[in-house]
């Protein structure tokens, strides 16, 4: 797989857009591109929504996101893996005390799903459960 290489000389760019739709709804979108001559995946897109003030809790957040990364031509040729990798994430940030940003305790259970991992459509989707905690004071 000579043509699949990872080099420190990679370059690219990204675009990030965030917009509050209302006091309790925000949306975001991202796009990224990197040099296909040195990257296994050269394009990425993602987007999502964040809902706040859930269940009357002013600092809690519910987030849902979707994204996709696209294999570069050299990677597809060298490996035969040409499927788009898709991923989705669902999380809930529970804030038992604090302001939800700079202070307090934040507990965030998370579920991620990755379809076609590594660009291989022959692999079953991967489910990843997570739990993040943050204490700030």
């Amino acid at each position: 797989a000579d043509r699949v290489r990872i080099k420190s000389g990679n370059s690219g760019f990204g675009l990030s857009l965030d917009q509050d739709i209302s006091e309790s709804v925000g949306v975001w979108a991202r796009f990224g591109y990197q040099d296909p001559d040195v990257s296994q995946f050269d394009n990425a897109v993602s987007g999502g929504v964040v809902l706040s003030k859930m269940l009357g809790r002013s600092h809690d957040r519910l987030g849902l996101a979707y994204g996709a990364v696209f294999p570069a031509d050299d990677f597809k040729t060298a490996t035969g893996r040409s499927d788009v990798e898709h991923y989705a994430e669902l999380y809930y940030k529970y804030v038992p005390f604090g302001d939800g940003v700079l202070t307090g305790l934040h507990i965030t259970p998370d579920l991620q799903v990755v379809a076609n991992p590594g660009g291989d459509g022959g692999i079953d989707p991967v489910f990843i459960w997570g739990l993040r905690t943050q204490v700030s004071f």
Side-chain angles (χ1 to χ4, degrees), residues 11-62:
S11 63
F13 68 89
L15 176 65
S16 178
L17 303 169
D18 296 83
Q19 180 65 50
D20 288 333
I21 302 299
S22 71
E23 190 175 291
S24 59
V25 178
V27 294
W28 58 271
R30 313 273 187 269
F31 170 78
Y33 170 85
Q34 54 185 348
D35 184 351
D37 291 333
V38 295
S39 303
Q40 295 173 347
F41 294 84
D42 57 355
N43 289 289
V45 295
S46 58
V49 62
V50 178
L51 306 174
S52 61
K53 301 183 180 184
M54 301 298 300
L55 306 172
R57 301 188 49 80
S58 62
H59 300 304
D60 288 11
R61 303 283 183 270
L62 175 69

Side-chain angles (χ1 to χ4, degrees), residues 64-76:
L64 178 63
Y66 165 79
V69 292
F70 301 85
D73 288 338
D74 283 353
F75 178 76
K76 291 188 280 190

Side-chain angles (χ1 to χ4, degrees), residues 3 5 26 45 67 85 119 133:
R3 299 181 64 168
R5 10 183 216 286
V45 295
E85 181 178 287
T133 58

Side-chain angles (χ1 to χ4, degrees), residues 18 34-35 48 55 64 67 81 84 91 99 102 106 125 130 136-137:
D18 296 83
Q34 54 185 348
D35 184 351
L55 306 172
L64 178 63
R81 293 186 267 164
V84 174
Y91 74 87
D99 67 10
L102 298 175
H106 312 163
S136 302
F137 49 93

